Amino acid sequence: MTIKELQSWVERDWQRSPQQPDMQLQLIYLFEELGEMAEAIRKRDGSKARKTDATDLEGEMADVLISITTIANHFDIDLTEAVSRCQKKIEDRHEQGY
Ligand SMILES: [Mg+2]
């Protein structure tokens, strides 16, 4: 799935919802999902007592990505273009030796 396909899927999925995403709530969800991802990493690397498997971390990362995509869609941000611009900025930085 490309980033563009992900954005289209998330948009279609929200169209099926009776309500549109509220951005303040989405921001809270994003932080909630980031917390779940952090917990999955801690469990995976052993810094938290209960171990977990790779699928937990993958699932939490997917939740974070979908949450970010929802916010990007709300603000009509093309994430493919945004990532390309960011990629260029990083590559320019590497070429300049930081
Ligand atoms: Mg989650």
Side-chain angles (χ1 to χ4, degrees):
M1 178 183 277
T2 65
I3 297 172
K4 189 177 270 314
E5 288 168 341
L6 174 64
Q7 285 196 265
S8 295
W9 177 79
V10 169
E11 187 179 331
R12 285 195 309 277
D13 191 60
W14 273 105
Q15 286 169 354
R16 292 175 11 189
S17 171
Q19 55 202 7
Q20 286 307 295
D22 171 270
M23 282 306 103
Q24 289 189 359
L25 211 49
Q26 287 304 313
L27 202 53
I28 292 169
Y29 287 152
L30 174 60
F31 282 105
E32 186 179 308
E33 296 300 348
L34 284 168
E36 290 171 2
M37 190 177 95
E39 184 179 24
I41 289 170
R42 288 184 62 219
K43 286 176 182 172
R44 194 169 175 184
D45 74 7
S47 61
K48 187 161 182 170
R50 191 178 72 81
K51 294 280 186 192
T52 189
D53 57 31
T55 55
D56 288 343
L57 179 55
E58 287 176 11
E60 298 306 345
M61 291 179 99
D63 287 343
V64 167
L65 190 55
I66 289 170
S67 182
I68 289 172
T69 304
T70 297
I71 295 168
N73 284 353
H74 176 81
F75 291 107
D76 291 324
I77 291 169
D78 182 328
L79 284 174
T80 303
E81 287 180 18
V83 170
S84 292
R85 276 194 299 275
C86 188
Q87 180 184 19
K88 179 164 183 355
K89 185 176 71 180
I90 291 168
E91 287 172 354
D92 288 349
R93 205 179 299 150
H94 286 304
E95 284 175 18
Q96 294 164 8
Y98 289 83

